[in-house]
Amino acid sequence: MQDLAAIAYLTLGIAIVGGYLLGSIPFGLIATRLGGAGDIRQIGSGNIGATNVLRSGRKDLAAITLLGDAGKGVVAVLLARYLTNGNPAIIALAGGSAFLGHLFPVWLKFKGGKGVATFYGVLLSACWPVGIAAGATWLAMAFLFRISSLAALTAATLAAPFALAFDQPYPFMGLCLFMAVLIFIRHRENIARLLKGEEPKIGKKKPAEDAPPAPDAP
């Protein structure tokens, strides 16, 4: 009995800690540095996600960042699924940990991205019908309004209702709610601009005042 308990705790630890460490990998920063585009934290909004990497003018690096940020959520979930033979609670914890790691990466003093790509990676691997529905929502909103943040916020809002509609396990509904709340928190500046009608549309540059200040000359 003690051996079974030890295995259960070890599996839980791997899912949570492993998921968080996977989520903490800053693919945007790695891609821009290795790709010769500099430090992404000094470009545009300073965010390490694919949308800001695109502002560097390198679509290839933005695509790598998008795949990497989504992929780390997928790997965390699939690892938990393999270790637990499909336990929804552990899978949800692993996915949530990966998402949390992207937002607050230990390697970057807990200053990470906004989590949208990782959100989709986690959903598609944990509960694919919800991931597809959320992705379709993003595409529809982006097509109609041309505002990336609005599309992401709408998809995050509808994720839990989608999980309920597709009769997903309760841990997955909780995962959807958890990620949606954090996405709203991380998008609070975008929400403020949306309310003012100042949020830039897809393909347009972010206002200069939103960029991080340039470092002082040595």
Side-chain angles (χ1 to χ4, degrees), residues 20 41 103-112:
Y20 173 78
R41 294 171 295 181
L103 268 57
F104 307 104
V106 64
W107 322 114
L108 301 181
K109 299 180 179 179
F110 306 104
K111 297 179 181 178

Side-chain angles (χ1 to χ4, degrees), residues 90-164:
I90 304 299
I91 290 171
L93 285 172
S97 296
F99 181 76
L100 200 64
H102 178 76
L103 268 57
F104 307 104
V106 64
W107 322 114
L108 301 181
K109 299 180 179 179
F110 306 104
K111 297 179 181 178
K114 295 183 179 180
V116 177
T118 307
F119 165 79
Y120 287 117
V122 169
L123 286 185
L124 285 170
S125 51
C127 42
W128 64 266
V130 179
I132 291 177
T137 299
W138 190 96
L139 290 172
M141 292 296 291
F143 177 79
L144 289 172
F145 299 99
R146 306 291 297 172
I147 301 177
S148 179
S149 61
L150 179 61
L153 290 166
T154 305
T157 299
L158 294 177
F162 285 147
L164 182 63

Side-chain angles (χ1 to χ4, degrees), residues 70-104:
K72 60 192 181 184
V74 172
V75 171
V77 167
L78 293 183
L79 178 61
R81 190 184 296 279
Y82 172 76
L83 290 175
T84 65
N85 199 24
N87 185 301
I90 304 299
I91 290 171
L93 285 172
S97 296
F99 181 76
L100 200 64
H102 178 76
L103 268 57
F104 307 104

Side-chain angles (χ1 to χ4, degrees), residues 4-60:
L4 288 176
I7 292 173
Y9 285 125
L10 178 61
T11 302
L12 183 62
I14 292 174
I16 294 175
V17 177
Y20 173 78
L21 292 177
L22 279 170
S24 291
I25 300 173
F27 281 100
L29 181 60
I30 294 171
T32 50
R33 281 187 170 176
L34 293 181
D39 190 334
I40 189 58
R41 294 171 295 181
Q42 302 301 319
I43 298 172
S45 65
N47 191 275
I48 64 170
T51 300
N52 196 47
V53 172
L54 190 60
R55 295 189 181 104
S56 71
R58 294 287 300 275
K59 293 181 179 179
D60 56 338

